[in-house]
Amino acid sequence: MRTVQHALPSSSSGLCRTLRSLHFGPARSGRKVYVQASLHADEIPAMLVAQHLREQLLQLEAAGLIDGEIVLVPMANPIGLSQDLQGTLFGRFDLSTGVNFNRNYKHLTAPLLERLKGKLGSDAAANVEAIRAASRALLGEWEATTETEVLKKTLQTLACDADIVLDLHCDNQAVLHLYTGTPLADQVMPLSAQIGAEAVLLARMSGDDPFDESLSRIWWELAEQLPAHPIPNACVAITVELRGETQVEHGLAEQDAAALVAYLQQAGHIGGTPRAAPPARCAATPLEGVEPIAAPHAGLLVFKKEPGEQVQAGDVVVELIDPNTDQRTELKATVSGVLFARVARRYASRGMRVAKIAGAKAFRSGKLLSM
């Protein structure tokens, strides 16, 4: 294992934090996996999974079973990890700007179209290498002016030439679920089966350029814009939501890390025979089909449905009680599907999204992710 420290100089405080990346196996062209944990720094289960994955990768490396390079960032956001406010870790947004740490990565399609003029041919593998080289060059030209921009540039650069990208997160209270690009559905379902996902949410463009899309979306967009040249979907980027934020348990983390290893074995990046995958627990559904249940007024939240439950349109998901007026409102599902996530707090402000249901039919458009 090789360890690299990446400097994150601050333009305001004069501090210089560091980001650590761990590199397993021999680096060689066309064989790379990138895994990062807790880009939202208050999503702790991902960091424990990364610890178990590190231990498993060390054993696999010692046995010579890693084909190519696997890069693991066991804590992807030292900035967010330092944002402790009166005893509460505030790791989702950069306090200096209010920007989500998992939004506003560089969308490279337009500059790549310019940079690649006359450089692609009829060889798909050569085209992949040319696109990756151009991506690295464009990211190298990014003049990051804030510490958070330096972090985003560093992470996107580490991952931009990977075949598989696994971005490990969690939700408030949730069952395990995945987000990925619609064109990648078939390539992601083996992970869904291995890790026991209960929802797989697909979108071609979810809005605001999250980390995973900044890496995968360029491939199908370039293929559509340049039909004369063969361009495969050369980066399978997946956001893995590891249940709820308090489920920090060695048993679950070891189980999840083993599932990631089995998926990488199936994909040919780790040698050995992968364990047999259990039947998939769900079919993939469109992110446009997710219904966010929102509170029409402030009040206490009394949930009637648990994460992982199947709900039918018309079912009461949560009762909302205003303690000032005694108003009681039943919040009902309008779609049928799995309740895959809900908030951990039990008092809602007006307009707050309190639960999410994965429906099978697309009905939303625009920005599809929460803030």
Side-chain angles (χ1 to χ4, degrees):
M1 181 187 75
R2 180 170 59 94
T3 301
V4 180
Q5 301 286 351
H6 307 268
L8 304 175
S10 171
S11 58
S12 58
S13 66
L15 297 174
C16 186
R17 279 180 267 259
T18 59
L19 178 82
R20 182 173 64 125
S21 61
L22 311 179
H23 301 249
F24 301 86
R28 65 185 181 87
S29 177
R31 302 298 295 169
K32 181 177 177 181
V33 172
Y34 176 85
V35 185
Q36 70 179 23
S38 300
L39 179 56
H40 289 145
D42 47 7
E43 297 178 359
I44 309 303
M47 285 186 272
L48 186 58
V49 172
Q51 290 295 309
H52 283 271
L53 183 59
R54 172 185 173 276
E55 293 172 2
Q56 294 182 31
L57 290 175
L58 282 170
Q59 295 175 10
L60 291 162
E61 183 180 49
L65 292 175
I66 295 178
D67 184 6
E69 184 181 26
I70 298 177
V71 179
L72 173 63
V73 177
M75 199 298 115
N77 187 357
I79 303 168
L81 201 60
S82 71
Q83 296 181 160
D84 192 302
L85 298 180
Q86 297 182 345
T88 299
L89 185 60
F90 195 82
R92 185 176 182 86
F93 300 96
D94 176 9
L95 288 181
S96 66
T97 63
V99 175
N100 191 316
F101 286 112
N102 193 25
R103 304 288 186 272
N104 303 117
Y105 287 81
K106 287 294 183 184
H107 181 215
L108 297 178
T109 300
L112 280 171
L113 287 169
E114 289 296 317
R115 188 68 61 98
L116 292 167
K117 284 182 178 178
K119 296 183 179 179
L120 300 183
S122 58
D123 185 324
N127 291 340
V128 168
E129 288 306 307
I131 292 166
R132 287 175 172 167
S135 296
R136 287 190 294 266
L138 286 167
L139 291 170
E141 295 165 11
W142 181 356
E143 295 183 3
T145 58
T146 68
E147 186 181 27
T148 295
E149 282 191 347
V150 174
L151 173 67
K152 291 180 178 180
K153 175 181 177 178
T154 302
L155 296 175
Q156 193 170 352
T157 301
L158 278 168
C160 72
D161 54 357
D163 305 282
I164 293 174
V165 172
L166 302 173
D167 189 15
L168 308 183
H169 288 252
C170 75
D171 213 308
N172 286 163
Q173 292 182 331
V175 290
L176 201 149
H177 57 285
L178 311 176
Y179 294 93
T180 194
T182 305
L184 304 176
D186 290 343
Q187 293 161 281
V188 170
M189 291 312 291
L191 175 61
S192 175
Q194 285 285 2
I195 206 165
E198 297 191 41
V200 177
L201 306 168
L202 308 175
R204 288 179 59 85
M205 183 174 68
S206 60
D208 290 332
D209 297 307
F211 178 76
D212 64 338
E213 271 186 24
S214 74
L215 302 161
S216 59
R217 183 175 146 206
I218 61 171
W219 295 97
W220 58 79
E221 290 182 340
L222 289 173
E224 291 166 354
Q225 293 288 323
L226 302 170
H229 306 289
I231 299 174
N233 286 322
C235 179
V236 179
I238 311 166
T239 295
V240 182
E241 300 280 354
L242 297 162
R243 307 175 193 83
E245 60 190 9
T246 63
Q247 291 177 277
V248 185
E249 305 168 20
H250 279 299
L252 286 176
E254 185 176 12
Q255 168 187 309
D256 293 338
L260 298 180
V261 167
Y263 171 65
L264 296 178
Q265 286 179 311
Q266 285 181 276
H269 290 271
I270 295 175
T273 303
R275 68 187 189 188
R281 296 187 182 183
C282 67
T285 56
L287 186 55
E288 294 91 339
V290 169
E291 179 181 22
I293 304 292
H297 58 81
L300 313 175
L301 293 168
V302 184
F303 281 98
K304 305 295 186 180
K305 299 291 183 181
E306 297 291 323
E309 278 194 62
Q310 291 288 329
V311 300
Q312 300 300 315
D315 285 354
V316 177
V317 174
V318 59
E319 183 183 16
L320 184 64
I321 305 171
D322 186 335
N324 290 315
T325 66
D326 302 324
Q327 179 183 1
R328 296 191 174 209
T329 304
E330 291 183 333
L331 305 187
K332 299 179 180 180
T334 65
V335 303
S336 298
V338 63
L339 174 68
F340 67 91
R342 69 186 190 189
V343 295
R345 57 188 278 185
R346 290 299 181 265
Y347 189 87
S349 55
R350 182 175 180 270
M352 178 179 165
R353 293 181 174 185
V354 300
K356 294 178 281 190
I357 299 168
K361 295 182 179 179
F363 68 97
R364 295 192 300 146
S365 60
K367 294 182 180 180
L368 302 171
L369 300 173
S370 57
M371 292 181 63

